[in-house]
Amino acid sequence: QVQLVESGGGLVQAGGSLRLSCVASGSIRRINNMDWYRQAPGNQRELVALISLEGNTKYADSVKGRFTISRDNAKNTVFLQMNSLNPEDTAVYSCRAGVISSDWRPLEVWGQGTLVTVSS
């Protein structure tokens, strides 16, 4: 099986920074897009950032200039560096990967989510 393991969430005060990591493991031949989503209580889940296999990135307008997504293909890992955090960033952050398995099956794999709480 293919799994995503996330880390880096926690409690931070406004203006602070956190770095989220998401590591994919298992029978993986290739990982295409890797994404970060977030969902605040009572809100819809939204796409925060996306990075393609080639390294092209997209960001939600609300996080541009503050968040940076990156990936290490050799380690099957995606990162989300979050700076200048504000209480509106409080949410459960989850990662998603589009994976081609070792036996050539396309898979969509989600992480378990990690809670980011920003206090004022």
Side-chain angles (χ1 to χ4, degrees), residues 7 29-30 34 38 40 47 51 65 68 73 99 104 106 108 116:
S7 62
R29 185 175 299 276
R30 187 177 72 241
M34 302 188 81
R38 69 183 182 187
L47 178 64
I51 185 166
T68 302
N73 292 334
V99 174
W104 298 100
E108 183 181 76
V116 172

Side-chain angles (χ1 to χ4, degrees), residues 71-118:
R71 65 189 289 171
D72 185 335
N73 292 334
K75 296 179 173 62
N76 289 336
T77 301
V78 62
F79 305 95
L80 187 67
Q81 178 66 46
M82 305 185 295
N83 299 326
S84 301
L85 287 163
N86 57 63
E88 291 72 34
D89 297 314
T90 295
V92 174
Y93 287 72
S94 58
C95 64
R96 185 184 73 174
V99 174
I100 305 299
S101 67
S102 295
D103 58 355
W104 298 100
R105 292 180 297 152
L107 304 173
E108 183 181 76
V109 186
W110 288 82
Q112 79 285 355
T114 184
L115 177 63
V116 172
T117 303
V118 185

Side-chain angles (χ1 to χ4, degrees), residues 25-94:
S25 62
S27 300
I28 299 170
R29 185 175 299 276
R30 187 177 72 241
I31 302 178
N32 295 324
N33 289 353
M34 302 188 81
D35 318 326
W36 285 99
Y37 290 79
R38 69 183 182 187
Q39 187 169 26
N43 293 347
Q44 288 186 280
R45 184 175 62 191
E46 64 173 338
L47 178 64
V48 176
L50 177 152
I51 185 166
S52 72
L53 177 63
E54 297 78 18
N56 299 315
T57 59
K58 296 180 180 179
Y59 297 94
D61 288 341
S62 59
V63 307
K64 282 185 177 179
R66 300 188 298 119
F67 291 10
T68 302
I69 188 171
S70 60
R71 65 189 289 171
D72 185 335
N73 292 334
K75 296 179 173 62
N76 289 336
T77 301
V78 62
F79 305 95
L80 187 67
Q81 178 66 46
M82 305 185 295
N83 299 326
S84 301
L85 287 163
N86 57 63
E88 291 72 34
D89 297 314
T90 295
V92 174
Y93 287 72
S94 58

